[in-house]
Amino acid sequence: MSFTTNRSTLTAEGAWAILQAAWRKSQEIGVPVNISVVDSAGNELGFLRPDGAPLLSAGIARDKAYTVCAFNGLPTHEWWDLLRDEPALLQGIPHRDRLVIFGGGVPVLIDGVLVGAVGCSGGSAEQDRTVAEAGVSAVG
């Protein structure tokens, strides 16, 4: 019987690479977004609020990354399709603290294993997702 497990998780070096790549993408598209990188347990490893990124979006970026890890790697842009035809879920689960159901939160997968997540906020849901995915491409 085993009472412990080993869990692969993103390192600080990986978080730094993701932050840099995501920030470069946000500069390329001309949209300053807040960027949060978390480990596999949803604990923040790194955060960047570039000049011009909306202050309120800082918490949303963090919650997007957390949401991905809290649901085993489900990207935030996939939530709407899961909820729209489920009235009870649609009325209830979006009211949970830290759950975000629109784009901008993506998993960091290494060899198919969830090791962390990136959350971006400050642009449209599509722009946030584009920036987050650019960050992930730096390590995956």
Side-chain angles (χ1 to χ4, degrees), residues 73-130:
L74 181 68
T76 58
H77 65 270
E78 292 184 11
W79 272 97
W80 179 247
D81 286 339
L82 295 173
L83 296 177
R84 70 173 157 203
D85 295 327
E86 297 283 341
L89 279 176
L90 186 57
Q91 292 301 313
I93 200 162
H95 299 288
R96 299 296 306 161
D97 286 344
R98 304 200 67 190
L99 178 70
V100 179
I101 65 168
F102 47 88
V106 298
V108 179
L109 302 169
I110 304 290
D111 297 326
V113 175
L114 178 68
V115 298
V118 182
C120 294
S121 184
S124 68
E126 182 179 320
Q127 290 167 328
D128 292 347
R129 179 180 171 189
T130 296

Side-chain angles (χ1 to χ4, degrees), residues 5-110:
T5 184
N6 291 327
R7 184 179 203 171
S8 295
T9 193
L10 196 60
T11 64
E13 184 176 1
W16 180 240
I18 290 168
L19 281 172
Q20 291 178 80
W23 185 39
R24 280 192 301 275
K25 177 55 93 173
S26 74
Q27 290 176 311
E28 178 185 310
I29 66 172
V31 179
V33 302
N34 294 283
I35 306 160
S36 175
V37 182
V38 300
D39 65 16
S40 60
N43 299 303
E44 192 168 65
L45 292 171
F47 180 82
L48 178 66
R49 182 175 172 255
D51 298 340
L55 180 58
L56 182 62
S57 293
I60 297 170
R62 288 180 164 116
D63 290 348
K64 287 179 182 183
Y66 177 84
T67 295
V68 172
C69 287
F71 283 90
N72 302 316
L74 181 68
T76 58
H77 65 270
E78 292 184 11
W79 272 97
W80 179 247
D81 286 339
L82 295 173
L83 296 177
R84 70 173 157 203
D85 295 327
E86 297 283 341
L89 279 176
L90 186 57
Q91 292 301 313
I93 200 162
H95 299 288
R96 299 296 306 161
D97 286 344
R98 304 200 67 190
L99 178 70
V100 179
I101 65 168
F102 47 88
V106 298
V108 179
L109 302 169
I110 304 290

